[in-house]
Amino acid sequence: MPPKKRSRLTAADRREQLISVAQQLFAENGVQPTTVEDIATAAGVTKPLIYEHFGGKEGLYAVVVDRAMRQLLDRVVGSLTGGGGSRELLERSASALLGYIEEQPAAFRVLLRDSPASHGAGSAASIMSTVAGHVETLVVEVFERNDLDVSVVPIYAQMLVGMIGFTGEWWIESGSSLSRDTVAAHMVNLAWNGLGGIERDPTLKTL
């Protein structure tokens, strides 16, 4: 009996395969060191196929980053819907971001890596700033309830997202045995108790 012919991937399935392979290579090796040839070899295709689908490495990288960012934002924005108090929203947003890191470690590593100069919109700083923009909703509620100056809310939103992001990076990269809920609980403990005791006009005491 003759061997079965291996079925060819559809154009859509091939595209998904290339995105997945490229994401893994970008996460492991970085964007700049990874070449089109590396991606083609790992995917078992020829280089012209990658150019056909994405126009080259930059185009493929843009798709990887845009998809990863959209998935992350969907998680965060979704966690802030449905109502609830400020602490509940903070807990849900921390858990959502950590959940994304835990379930999509390669995508998260790509987002944190330095992007090529030609793709500045996908830099880690700009991505986390976009997430922070959504988290401002949570912080505004706390500030308004305590009659605080809402003009400085973006500072606190950036700090909250930075804390969660960098702690999440440590958590996934270190191989920590701590559970997602445990890490989230400790981050919320610091963030919430810090917000709970916030000063109206903070000053540096040692200067």
Side-chain angles (χ1 to χ4, degrees):
M1 188 174 180
K4 277 187 176 180
K5 287 186 178 179
R6 194 166 47 179
S7 60
R8 293 169 59 96
L9 293 177
T10 65
D13 287 341
R14 178 65 73 188
R15 181 181 173 86
E16 289 301 314
Q17 180 211 18
L18 292 173
I19 293 171
S20 177
V21 168
Q23 176 177 273
Q24 195 62 44
L25 290 176
F26 291 149
E28 293 175 356
N29 307 324
V31 181
Q32 299 289 11
T34 300
T35 65
V36 171
E37 186 172 1
D38 294 332
I39 299 168
T41 299
V45 301
T46 60
K47 290 194 294 183
L49 190 62
I50 294 176
Y51 287 103
E52 178 185 332
H53 278 279
F54 304 100
K57 186 178 79 169
E58 291 294 326
L60 180 49
Y61 173 76
V63 171
V64 169
V65 168
D66 290 344
R67 175 174 295 188
M69 183 175 177
R70 186 171 61 252
Q71 291 171 341
L72 174 57
L73 288 177
D74 286 346
R75 288 286 189 98
V76 174
V77 174
S79 73
L80 297 175
T81 61
S86 298
R87 174 154 185 154
E88 183 182 348
L89 290 173
L90 178 59
E91 289 181 355
R92 292 209 307 257
S93 61
S95 182
L97 188 45
L98 288 177
Y100 174 81
I101 294 170
E102 183 178 41
E103 295 164 24
Q104 302 286 344
F108 183 68
R109 289 186 182 105
V110 170
L111 292 181
L112 286 185
R113 284 187 178 277
D114 290 335
S115 64
S118 59
H119 195 73
S123 69
S126 67
I127 289 166
M128 298 311 280
S129 289
T130 302
V131 174
H134 291 279
V135 174
E136 284 182 22
T137 304
L138 158 70
V139 186
V140 163
E141 183 181 333
V142 176
F143 272 54
E144 288 180 340
R145 190 170 60 247
N146 290 281
D147 193 28
L148 298 170
D149 179 12
V150 296
S151 69
V152 297
V153 161
I155 300 174
Y156 290 84
Q158 293 283 345
M159 289 190 291
L160 283 171
V161 171
M163 177 182 71
I164 296 172
F166 283 110
T167 302
E169 181 184 15
W170 161 82
W171 174 56
I172 205 70
E173 297 293 350
S174 68
S176 172
S177 61
L178 295 172
S179 70
R180 178 203 308 182
D181 288 347
T182 297
V183 176
H186 282 280
M187 287 195 297
V188 170
N189 182 37
L190 174 61
W192 182 255
N193 289 319
L195 285 174
I198 199 169
E199 298 176 349
R200 183 177 301 276
D201 297 303
T203 58
L204 300 176
K205 308 300 183 186
T206 58
L207 297 180

